[in-house]
Amino acid sequence: MNRLPSKEERRLRSLVQAHDRWRGREVFNLLPSENAISLVARRYLSSDLAGRYTLPVVTEFDGETIDNSYTGTRYTDQIEQLANAAATRVFRARFATTRPLSGHIAALSVLAPLLPRGSRILAIPSAEGGYDGYAPGFLPALLGYIVRPMPADRPGFRVDAESAIETIRRERPSAVVLGQSFLLFPYPLRAIANAAHEVGALVLYDGSHVLGLIAGGEFQDPLREGADVLFGSTHKSFPGPQGGLIVTDRDDLFHELDPALVWRTFDNAHWNRIAGLAQTLLELERWGPEYAKTVIASARALGKSLSDLEVPLVAADDGFTRSHQLHLDRARLRKDWSLGAGALARRLESQRLLIDLAGRIGTAEATRLGLRTDDMARLADLFVRAGRNEERVGPEVLRWRRTFHDLRFR
Ligand SMILES: Cc1ncc(COP(=O)(O)O)c(C=O)c1O
């Protein structure tokens, strides 16, 4: 028996090591969908919990009532309770679950138990910055819903209070799902919630992109402004492991959706992830407000610096953003730079700066890494030089990147 790692095992190890080196030490990540996880949370991700089950559900088994299908879970169950309690504190909510395996699964876990097949929902179309998962062929097809468009206007794909109210009164949906992958400005939530509640609709706030900002008391406060449920991904502006969570103040809704989680959208909730998420929640309990304020201030500062260097961005008149995102104005980019957003992203990538190919730029991971608001002018300068292909800035980016060793806000 050959005890040495196989060729494929060695190749796998070197790919993972190369990835970790490149993404962890050699590029600035400006993708708004990602973030950096603290070393402690990472340590929990690779702990023994990674391979364990627990199913703390009371069931009848051959006439015997059991409170868990597994033994060996005495610590796992306490870790979950700690995570959920931290989530209720951070989001100032009465109820929380950290079980959903991702933002998409959180959406599915909220929608399926609360809305029967045949329900009509309002959601922002993906062509207007909405999340593709709410497009007719995806979650609505799976769950048997009729989805109608909630309009969001350019530039910046903003939902306008008046047209939202008019749409809600006309469509009389069972739920309004507020959630966008392109999200710069808060929703006029009080007005939307009042109109929705008037027609008996639930307001389901998918905060996947802005969850870390909401945790820090910025952007908006969905549960206080009228949302019935807040849910989303825990790894975009929220700097935790990939996963999802759901919070609400409404016990009637929580008691509908919480027992429906297990066996409808997953079985085992991945306890290493929940330990890592608990750690991130505790980090945000200490640092959340400062982190969230810095992310937004840096996004606005980066917007100003890029715009001063003639990078076309949307919403310049409104300070570019109130979130962690900036959006390239793709039409002006094509006209002024003769370049698509995707081609620009590939150029930047070759010089160690990552943005997405749809033209979104984000400051969440850079902030966690330690870049401050006054660093944004230098970042914009590197961005523009790399984007213009004027000179090779990759080595300069690398030298600067290597000066950031430890994450902040942890
Ligand atoms: C608004 C919104 N909701 C849900 C999701 C899905 O999240 P996840 O990738 O965590 O499943 C995304 C992903 O980009 C999103 O932008």
Side-chain angles (χ1 to χ4, degrees):
M1 179 82 88
N2 188 350
R3 305 181 75 106
L4 292 173
S6 68
K7 197 168 142 229
E8 283 302 277
E9 284 174 290
R10 278 182 278 129
R11 186 169 118 77
L12 175 62
R13 185 175 58 198
S14 76
L15 287 172
V16 173
Q17 286 171 344
H19 171 91
D20 277 4
R21 200 167 47 242
W22 184 51
R23 294 299 303 272
R25 300 213 300 268
E26 299 181 347
V27 292
F28 281 116
N29 184 17
L30 304 172
L31 290 161
S33 310
E34 294 182 353
N35 215 313
I37 307 164
S38 72
L39 284 180
V40 180
R42 275 199 202 203
R43 149 86 188 83
Y44 298 158
L45 284 177
S46 62
S47 71
D48 179 83
L49 288 159
R52 300 299 166 200
Y53 269 97
T54 175
L55 206 55
V57 175
V58 179
T59 20
E60 283 290 316
F61 209 71
D62 281 347
E64 191 187 7
T65 305
I66 53 171
D67 59 4
N68 199 319
S69 303
Y70 300 92
T71 56
T73 66
R74 68 175 68 155
Y75 301 113
T76 332
D77 297 339
Q78 292 181 56
I79 290 167
E80 180 184 23
Q81 284 158 17
L82 191 154
N84 291 347
T88 58
R89 293 195 302 276
V90 166
F91 291 99
R92 306 164 294 284
R94 287 179 61 213
F95 305 98
T97 174
T98 47
R99 284 192 188 180
L101 306 183
S102 76
H104 186 87
I105 300 286
L108 180 57
S109 307
V110 167
L111 293 169
L114 299 186
L115 302 167
R117 296 187 92 74
S119 297
R120 188 201 316 255
I121 65 167
L122 282 184
I124 299 151
S126 29
E128 294 170 23
Y131 170 51
D132 291 303
Y134 301 122
F138 299 102
L139 283 173
L142 185 67
L143 298 170
Y145 300 157
I146 300 150
V147 59
R148 306 283 302 145
M150 165 68 96
D153 298 328
R154 286 170 191 272
F157 302 127
R158 267 187 264 190
V159 175
D160 157 76
E162 246 172 64
S163 61
I165 293 168
E166 195 266 309
T167 311
I168 292 166
R169 289 188 178 148
R170 189 183 63 241
E171 298 288 348
R172 303 185 71 78
S174 303
V176 177
V177 182
L178 287 177
Q180 283 170 281
S181 302
F182 287 71
L183 185 54
L184 297 174
F185 296 99
Y187 299 104
L189 187 51
R190 280 182 205 282
I192 291 174
N194 287 341
H197 293 151
E198 245 171 59
V199 302
L202 291 170
V203 178
L204 307 175
Y205 191 110
D206 175 347
S208 287
H209 260 279
V210 285
L211 206 64
L213 309 178
I214 293 169
E218 295 294 321
F219 196 70
Q220 68 188 143
D221 191 355
L223 295 184
R224 251 60 51 194
E225 292 170 37
D228 296 293
V229 183
L230 163 65
F231 60 92
S233 314
T234 54
H235 48 269
K236 298 178 192 284
S237 68
F238 190 100
Q242 290 197 334
L245 58 72
I246 304 171
V247 294
T248 179
D249 278 342
R250 287 193 47 180
D251 47 4
D252 55 334
L253 300 183
F254 194 71
H255 290 114
E256 283 277 312
L257 64 86
D258 191 47
L261 288 169
V262 170
W263 298 323
R264 201 184 278 235
T265 49
F266 54 85
D267 175 88
N268 191 35
H270 302 178
W271 308 96
N272 58 326
R273 173 187 67 75
I274 288 183
L277 174 53
Q279 171 62 26
T280 315
L281 285 160
L282 298 175
E283 290 163 10
L284 288 182
E285 209 172 5
R286 281 188 287 140
W287 298 105
E290 194 185 338
Y291 162 74
K293 276 192 184 68
T294 312
V295 169
I296 297 167
S298 292
R300 289 166 72 90
L302 182 60
K304 165 93 176 61
S305 298
L306 287 171
S307 183
D308 288 348
L309 295 170
E310 284 165 27
V311 176
L313 295 168
V314 307
D317 293 346
D318 286 317
F320 304 98
T321 186
R322 291 259 310 277
S323 76
H324 61 307
Q325 296 188 4
L326 293 167
H327 299 170
L328 289 171
D329 183 330
R330 290 181 296 207
R332 271 172 51 220
L333 186 71
R334 255 192 313 277
K335 187 162 155 283
D336 301 351
W337 287 49
S338 310
L339 203 62
L344 173 62
R346 288 293 182 210
R347 265 190 203 175
L348 295 176
E349 182 185 31
S350 71
Q351 307 292 320
R352 305 179 183 277
L353 296 171
L354 305 183
I355 67 165
D356 75 30
L357 284 97
R360 291 179 305 178
I361 304 165
T363 51
E365 180 161 334
T367 302
R368 183 94 153 141
L369 195 62
L371 273 83
R372 293 170 194 271
T373 304
D374 350 336
D375 289 320
M376 293 302 118
R378 181 170 178 193
L379 190 59
D381 174 64
L382 292 169
F383 183 114
V384 170
R385 285 162 53 208
R388 293 231 183 253
N389 252 351
E390 279 171 15
E391 53 188 291
R392 290 192 55 79
V393 294
E396 200 176 324
V397 173
L398 183 61
R399 276 197 302 282
W400 193 27
R401 176 65 182 81
R402 290 224 160 120
T403 64
F404 296 94
H405 301 293
D406 287 327
L407 297 185
R408 268 176 90 201
F409 308 115
R410 65 185 164 84

